[in-house]
Amino acid sequence: MSDRLTGALTRRRAAIPLLAVVLCLPPFYLDAFWLRIGLFSMAAAIGAVGLALLTGTAGQLSLGHAFFLAVGAYGYAYLAGEPGPGLPPAVAAVLAVLLAGAAGGLFSPVAARVKGIYLGIATLALVFLGHHVLLTTDSVTGGFNGRSVPPLTLGGFTFGADDPRLTVLGVPFGAEERLWFLGLALFALTWFTARGLLRSRPGRALAALRDSETAAAVMGVDVARHRSAAFVVSSMYAGLAGVLLALAFRRVVPDYFSLALSVDYLAMIVIGGLGSAAGATAGAVFVTALPLLMTRYADQLPLVTAPGSAEGAVGPTEAARYLYGAAIVLVLLYAPDGLHGLARRARDRARRRRPRTPATDPVPAPPQPDAAARPKEHTP
């Protein structure tokens, strides 16, 4: 058993560098459309991992994830842009993430005392309040038309700006190619910190709190403090996702950060699998990429019309929502642990079917004489 475990860990460690190399190749071979899908998927995965920590691990329902995404996106656009303080973009990005965490901290007393559907309704108010603020504070948010997002500059290198002079291995590196590597770095940071948190003592405390609040309190878990901390951490992940989304869109508008976006994030973690960083990532890719792909190939799909067609027709966005709505129903009925659980069971089934290599048989011990053939000992 120990040899199998050691071999599995070795294969996993060897697969990480290989996966990193594979993820670095798309900018050299794919066009801008596919790179945008990857960027939006990475930003969605960062936010979905944060929501998975809150809902899947801590057991707290939140419908206000779009609000914290907006705080991160608009916080960066205001702090780094004009009108605004005009801070260095790297500093503005960090402050935007901290600002989203501070917003989560202001709401955390409510999260510490309310749970379940009541917390979901309370966080729902954040979405409507945030949308109203985004529309009315024109000097900060730009109102209905939004505001442009300055590119991120780090160490003299500018992400998100087209420069025909920059080529790598003969490939021109424009905005999408540069942002691809920034998104990979931010997603890797999110992935490893989330997995470390899930395996740490606070992560186990959150899981115990989700399973039974009374049992967790008996074991010494501070229920209110851990609930508040989970909400703050989830808000910071959402703020980081908002910053990456703003850099990818290059312009932020209030209508994007609506209730529909919060519902999309709930769909991501349900389809992917609650309480799992890998499941949240898979669900984020599915929910984000599906409408974009259907928009591009709308003229080749049955029952789907291109955007802007006749009224009453099913557009690609609506069709995508129908599909992943059906996916949620199927997951709840047949795979409650989501895509991550399906992949894990398929992997375990493949391992059981894999033929085992015969081990070296030890030298057999000499046969023991049968009990009936032993000489009877006489009692002295």
Side-chain angles (χ1 to χ4, degrees):
M1 181 63 71
S2 60
D3 294 339
R4 290 185 190 174
L5 182 59
T6 303
L9 292 176
T10 303
R11 289 192 297 270
R12 182 172 298 180
R13 291 171 182 170
I16 292 177
L18 179 61
L19 180 61
V21 171
V22 171
L23 291 177
C24 289
L25 294 178
F28 297 97
Y29 297 99
L30 301 180
D31 59 17
F33 170 77
W34 298 103
L35 294 181
R36 290 191 198 101
I37 289 181
L39 276 173
F40 296 148
S41 298
M42 285 186 281
I46 293 173
V49 168
L51 186 59
L53 290 175
L54 179 64
T55 302
T57 304
Q60 293 286 80
L61 177 63
S62 173
L63 292 173
H65 217 55
F67 171 79
F68 300 105
L69 284 159
V71 171
Y74 275 95
Y76 171 76
Y78 175 74
L79 293 173
E82 295 291 341
L87 298 176
V91 177
V94 174
L95 290 179
V97 176
L98 295 178
L99 184 63
L106 292 176
F107 192 80
S108 62
V110 179
R113 292 170 174 79
V114 182
K115 63 179 181 178
I117 189 62
Y118 302 102
L119 179 62
I121 298 300
T123 54
L124 183 62
L126 290 176
V127 177
F128 298 113
L129 176 63
H131 193 263
H132 175 72
V133 171
L134 293 179
L135 290 175
T136 54
T137 54
D138 296 354
S139 60
V140 177
T141 64
F144 179 80
N145 294 321
R147 61 180 299 163
S148 60
V149 178
L152 177 65
T153 303
L154 189 62
F157 184 83
T158 302
F159 297 91
D162 291 316
D163 185 0
R165 297 173 297 177
L166 178 63
T167 59
V168 180
L169 299 178
V171 178
F173 259 50
E176 284 76 14
E177 287 81 4
R178 300 183 188 194
L179 285 174
W180 178 273
F181 291 99
L182 175 65
L184 274 183
L186 295 179
F187 174 68
L189 175 65
T190 301
W191 176 275
F192 288 109
T193 54
R195 286 179 65 87
L197 178 61
L198 289 172
R199 297 176 179 179
S200 65
R201 185 174 180 178
R204 294 192 295 270
L206 291 176
L209 184 61
R210 173 199 61 201
D211 295 336
S212 174
E213 179 180 325
T214 303
V218 170
M219 290 187 292
V221 176
D222 191 332
V223 175
R225 184 168 65 88
H226 280 80
R227 279 183 178 172
S228 301
F231 203 87
V232 171
V233 171
S234 176
S235 303
M236 294 179 69
Y237 278 114
L240 182 60
V243 172
L244 185 56
L245 273 177
L247 292 171
F249 278 124
R250 304 189 197 181
R251 188 171 190 85
V252 287
V253 293
D255 286 345
Y256 179 74
F257 303 98
S258 62
L259 177 60
L261 183 62
S262 293
V263 175
D264 286 347
Y265 273 90
L266 283 176
M268 293 175 194
I269 62 173
V270 171
I271 294 173
L274 294 173
S276 166
T281 302
V285 173
F286 178 80
V287 173
T288 303
L290 185 61
L292 297 175
L293 292 174
M294 296 191 73
T295 301
R296 178 161 182 170
Y297 299 105
D299 54 346
Q300 303 176 20
L301 296 174
L303 305 178
V304 179
T305 59
S309 299
E311 186 177 355
V314 178
T317 303
E318 292 80 6
R321 292 186 184 276
Y322 295 152
L323 286 178
Y324 66 70
I328 292 175
V329 174
L330 292 175
V331 164
L332 293 177
L333 290 177
Y334 301 107
D337 47 1
L339 297 177
H340 180 257
L342 287 176
R344 184 179 62 249
R345 288 195 294 273
R347 186 174 60 248
D348 295 341
R349 193 177 298 113
R351 287 177 180 173
R352 287 195 297 268
R353 292 179 179 178
R354 188 182 306 165
R356 298 180 182 178
T357 56
T360 305
D361 295 332
V363 179
Q368 297 293 332
D370 189 61
R374 293 178 183 174
K376 183 178 179 179
E377 297 181 358
H378 298 280
T379 304

